[in-house]
Amino acid sequence: MIVSAGKALGKTAAVGPGLLLRRRKALSIFAQGLTEQGLDDEAVEKLKEVYKELGSIQSWMPNSKQ
């Protein structure tokens, strides 16, 4: 069981940075699309923050901050 947990943590640590980079790229693409549609910078930033929050794992957990 300990070996399995170690392997799982190792795989998570190896995949984590790539997922964070993809998330950052997705946020950038989302913001660029909103800007291309003519939204002002303030609205784009607000929507980008909401999009970022929706993609956060913590927002989907039942004990997360509200």
Side-chain angles (χ1 to χ4, degrees):
M1 186 164 131
I2 294 173
V3 173
S4 296
K7 286 182 181 180
L9 286 173
K11 288 179 183 179
T12 302
V15 175
L19 291 176
L20 291 174
L21 289 173
R22 287 185 199 156
R23 182 177 179 206
R24 185 176 298 161
K25 185 175 179 179
L27 283 169
S28 176
I29 292 169
F30 179 71
Q32 182 181 3
L34 292 173
T35 302
E36 289 174 358
Q37 291 186 17
L39 272 77
D40 62 0
D41 291 338
E42 185 179 338
V44 170
E45 283 302 314
K46 287 181 182 179
L47 290 170
K48 186 176 164 183
E49 288 300 315
V50 171
Y51 182 79
K52 184 177 178 180
E53 185 179 319
L54 286 173
S56 172
I57 293 173
Q58 286 119 0
S59 69
W60 293 89
M61 294 179 152
N63 293 331
S64 66
K65 294 191 293 185
Q66 304 238 348

